[in-house]
């Protein structure tokens, strides 16, 4: 049962982040709309409307079929053309920036809305086309439904025009970086809200090591379920890896202290609340956002791209995120209902996040004056924010490295 719950949670995460999730729901909605409209056409109200309003009448079956078939073919062609453009933009972003940008672009809400409207209209029209019939004793033409289809088609055309404008504006590099910065900032804020029952100082005792049941990326855990298990069995759980780490199967993953005996059922219940799967969703782990921005900047500084402007935009976004992380550190100890420490997590320090995010950019951009100046500006601004001097040693080390790179560049 616990394995089934864990599997369902993994599938749920994949489904809701899939590009087909929203269009599938909208297609079902349009199918229901088609059924409702056809019932309305057959009802007394629909028949009265058709009889009293002359321009809504459709008496020729061939004309009705031609209209619906033409609209269906046109919307299908529009959909193909629309997403051919989108695939070109995706390919360019992946080659010029980073493959990490694909998830952010595919998950774009407006792009999903466009796809949903197109697919919904196609489903509506196909279902409508099958309902038009001509028999020996009766002719059925859903006139109201067909005219609604024409209205939907006009809406789709305007959506296509707006999509062309949207692609040229929203998928520019600076907009994509801003979007990634916004997602990371939202994840950091959510992380801060969930840290209310966390503390910094607590005594940690040695415990029994528990190995990882499978290889994969440690994504996150169900805090409420783990706290309930820890309080019920009166033990303390200590994670040995931070979230986002790759963990090898049958290697130490966590420790349990305060309990002499740990049954296999308890271990299964523990791992049913912990997720291992591939992927780097920023919404689930803000650290991924730092890494994605770093990768985009490094790709921009590669000899084949040579775009320091994009790297500087990434540095500006990283500066804001690092400043927020500096002001709002996440305590590593999670307490239970009675204030007793129950979960010990491994949180990445601001020093580690700064080094892993900025050091590669400094390495690849050490010969570029614009990048060096941007890093110097970052160091200056973070120094002003760091009132307690928490990051001061790391900032001083990077400042000296930038100055050395500058002297070496001037020598050549």
């Amino acid at each position: 049962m616990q394995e089934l719950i864990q599997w369902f949670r993994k599938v749920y995460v994949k489904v809701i982040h899939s590009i087909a999730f929203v269009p599938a729901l909208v297609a079902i909605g349009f199918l229901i709309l088609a059924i409702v409209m056809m019932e309305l056409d057959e009802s007394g109200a629909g028949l009265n409307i058709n009889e009293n309003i002359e321009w809504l009448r459709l008496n020729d079956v061939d004309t009705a079929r031609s209209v619906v078939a033409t609209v269906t073919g046109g919307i299908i062609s529009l959909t193909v053309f629309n997403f051919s453009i989108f695939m070109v933009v995706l390919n360019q972003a992946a080659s010029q920036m980073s493959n990490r940008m694909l998830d952010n672009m595919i998950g774009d809400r407006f792009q999903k809305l466009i796809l949903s409207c197109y697919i919904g209209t196609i489903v509506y029209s196909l279902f409508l086309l099958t309902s038009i019939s001509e028999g020996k004793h009766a002719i059925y033409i859903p006139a109201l439904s067909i005219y609604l289809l024409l209205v939907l088609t006009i809406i789709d055309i305007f959506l296509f025009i707006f999509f062309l404008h949207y692609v040229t504006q929203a998928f520019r590099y600076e907009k994509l970086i801003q979007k990634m910065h916004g997602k990371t900032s939202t994840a950091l804020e959510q992380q801060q809200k969930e840290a209310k029952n966390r503390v910094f100082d607590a005594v940690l005792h040695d415990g029994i090591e528990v190995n990882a049941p499978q290889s994969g990326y440690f994504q996150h855990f169900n805090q409420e379920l783990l706290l309930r298990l820890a309080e019920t069995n009166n033990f303390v759980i200590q994670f040995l890896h931070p979230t986002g780490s790759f963990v090898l199967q049958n290697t130490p993953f966590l420790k349990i202290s305060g309990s002499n005996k740990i049954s296999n059922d308890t271990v299964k219940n523990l791992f049913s609340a912990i997720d291992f799967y591939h992927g780097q969703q920023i919404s689930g782990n803000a650290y991924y956002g730092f890494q994605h921005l770093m990768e985009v900047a490094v790709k921009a500084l590669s000899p084949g791209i040579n775009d320091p402007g994009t790297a500087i935009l990434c540095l500006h976004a990283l500066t804001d995120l690092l400043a927020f992380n500096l002001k709002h550190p996440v305590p590593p100890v999670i307490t239970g209902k009675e204030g007793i420490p129950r979960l010990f997590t491994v949180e990445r320090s601001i020093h580690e996040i700064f080094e892993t995010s900025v050091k590669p950019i400094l390495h690849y951009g050490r010969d570029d004056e614009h990048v060096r100046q941007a890093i110097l500006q970052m160091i200056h601004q973070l120094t002003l924010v760091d009132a307690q001097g928490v990051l001061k040693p790391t900032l001083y080390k990077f400042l000296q490295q930038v100055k050395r790179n500058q002297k070496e560049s001037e020598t050549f």
Side-chain angles (χ1 to χ4, degrees):
M1 184 62 182
Q2 299 297 337
E3 294 179 354
L4 180 61
I5 294 174
Q6 189 179 33
W7 174 84
F8 178 78
R9 192 163 61 246
K10 292 179 182 178
V11 173
Y12 172 78
V13 172
K14 291 181 179 179
V15 168
I16 63 174
H17 289 98
S18 171
I19 190 175
F21 177 65
V22 174
L25 294 180
V26 174
I28 295 173
F30 271 81
L31 181 61
I32 296 174
L33 176 63
I35 296 173
V36 171
M37 288 302 300
M38 290 171 59
E39 290 294 330
L40 178 62
D41 274 306
E42 291 183 353
S43 66
L47 294 175
N48 290 331
I49 292 174
N50 288 329
E51 291 177 358
N52 297 326
I53 304 177
E54 294 185 1
W55 60 272
L56 283 179
R57 295 176 185 173
L58 278 176
N59 299 322
D60 187 7
V61 174
D62 293 333
T63 301
R65 285 176 178 169
S66 299
V67 169
V68 177
T70 302
V71 168
T72 305
I75 296 298
I76 291 175
S77 301
L78 190 65
T79 304
V80 173
F81 182 70
N82 193 328
F83 287 93
S84 296
I85 297 174
F86 183 67
M87 291 305 297
V88 172
V89 175
L90 278 180
N91 183 54
Q92 183 178 3
S95 60
Q96 296 290 324
M97 299 184 75
S98 171
N99 289 330
R100 304 295 184 189
M101 301 304 299
L102 296 181
D103 290 337
N104 294 281
M105 297 176 67
I106 291 176
D108 183 79
R109 292 181 180 178
F110 181 77
Q111 178 262 336
K112 286 183 178 180
L113 175 63
I114 296 293
L115 177 61
S116 302
C117 292
Y118 288 167
I119 292 179
T121 305
I122 293 171
V123 171
Y124 179 91
S125 59
L126 289 175
F127 190 80
L128 194 62
L129 186 62
T130 59
S131 66
I132 302 174
S133 60
E134 181 181 10
K136 295 182 179 179
H137 304 288
I139 296 175
Y140 176 65
I141 303 175
L144 292 178
S145 302
I146 293 175
Y147 279 107
L148 178 60
L149 174 62
L150 297 178
V151 173
L152 294 175
T153 304
I154 294 172
I155 294 174
D156 288 342
I157 293 173
F158 279 100
L159 285 176
F160 172 71
I161 296 172
F162 187 73
F163 177 77
L164 295 179
H165 170 75
Y166 181 79
V167 166
T168 59
Q169 299 298 319
F171 290 160
R172 292 180 298 168
Y173 293 166
E174 57 267 28
K175 290 292 185 180
L176 292 173
I177 293 172
Q178 288 176 12
K179 187 180 297 185
M180 193 180 298
H181 167 265
K183 287 186 176 181
T184 309
S185 181
T186 302
L188 287 173
E189 292 174 359
Q190 182 63 30
Q191 181 179 274
Q192 182 63 27
K193 291 179 181 179
E194 296 174 353
K196 293 181 178 179
N197 61 336
R198 290 181 174 233
V199 296
F200 281 100
D201 299 325
V203 179
L204 181 62
H205 302 283
D206 292 334
I208 301 173
E209 288 187 348
V210 179
N211 294 334
Q214 63 186 46
S215 298
Y217 290 92
F218 170 37
Q219 299 290 355
H220 44 72
F221 56 87
N222 189 321
Q223 180 175 312
E224 294 182 1
L225 181 57
L226 287 182
L227 283 175
R228 195 182 311 125
L229 288 171
E231 291 173 347
T232 302
N233 296 277
N234 192 26
F235 56 61
V236 177
I237 302 171
Q238 176 193 1
F239 288 98
L240 302 179
H241 305 276
T243 54
S245 302
F246 179 79
V247 181
L248 193 62
Q249 186 178 14
N250 295 327
T251 58
F253 175 69
L254 55 83
K255 289 183 179 181
I256 299 178
S257 58
S259 178
N260 295 327
K261 294 183 180 180
I262 304 174
S263 63
N264 292 331
D265 292 337
T266 302
V267 174
K268 289 182 179 179
N269 290 333
L270 282 175
F271 282 106
S272 68
I274 302 172
D275 290 330
F276 292 90
Y277 56 83
H278 293 271
Q280 295 187 356
Q281 293 293 335
I282 298 177
S283 58
N285 189 348
Y287 178 71
Y288 289 145
F290 289 91
Q291 294 302 295
H292 292 181
L293 287 169
M294 178 272 294
E295 291 175 6
V296 171
V298 169
K299 184 66 174 292
L301 293 172
S302 63
I305 307 299
N306 192 21
D307 183 13
T310 299
I312 292 173
L313 291 174
C314 293
L315 284 171
H316 293 164
L318 285 170
T319 303
D320 183 63
L321 297 173
L322 287 167
F324 182 90
N325 206 357
L326 186 61
K327 293 180 181 179
H328 305 90
V330 179
V333 183
I334 304 175
T335 59
K337 296 180 180 179
E338 300 178 354
I340 301 175
R342 291 297 183 183
L343 300 178
F344 287 76
T345 62
V346 180
E347 301 296 334
R348 289 183 171 87
S349 66
I350 185 65
H351 302 277
E352 180 183 355
I353 295 176
F354 185 90
E355 289 211 2
T356 56
S357 303
V358 181
K359 191 173 182 178
I361 302 176
L362 176 60
H363 175 73
Y364 280 88
R366 61 185 181 274
D367 296 328
D368 191 283
E369 180 64 23
H370 296 89
V371 175
R372 289 199 299 264
Q373 291 300 323
I375 294 178
L376 288 175
Q377 184 184 19
M378 168 189 277
I379 294 173
H380 175 69
Q381 291 177 336
L382 291 178
T383 302
L384 296 176
V385 174
D386 188 15
Q388 299 180 352
V390 176
L391 197 56
K392 184 177 180 179
T394 303
L395 292 177
Y396 179 77
K397 182 177 68 174
F398 272 75
L399 178 61
Q400 298 302 314
Q401 182 62 47
V402 173
K403 289 181 178 180
R404 284 195 296 269
N405 292 343
Q406 192 169 11
K407 288 182 179 180
E408 291 176 359
S409 179
E410 292 174 354
T411 301
F412 287 102

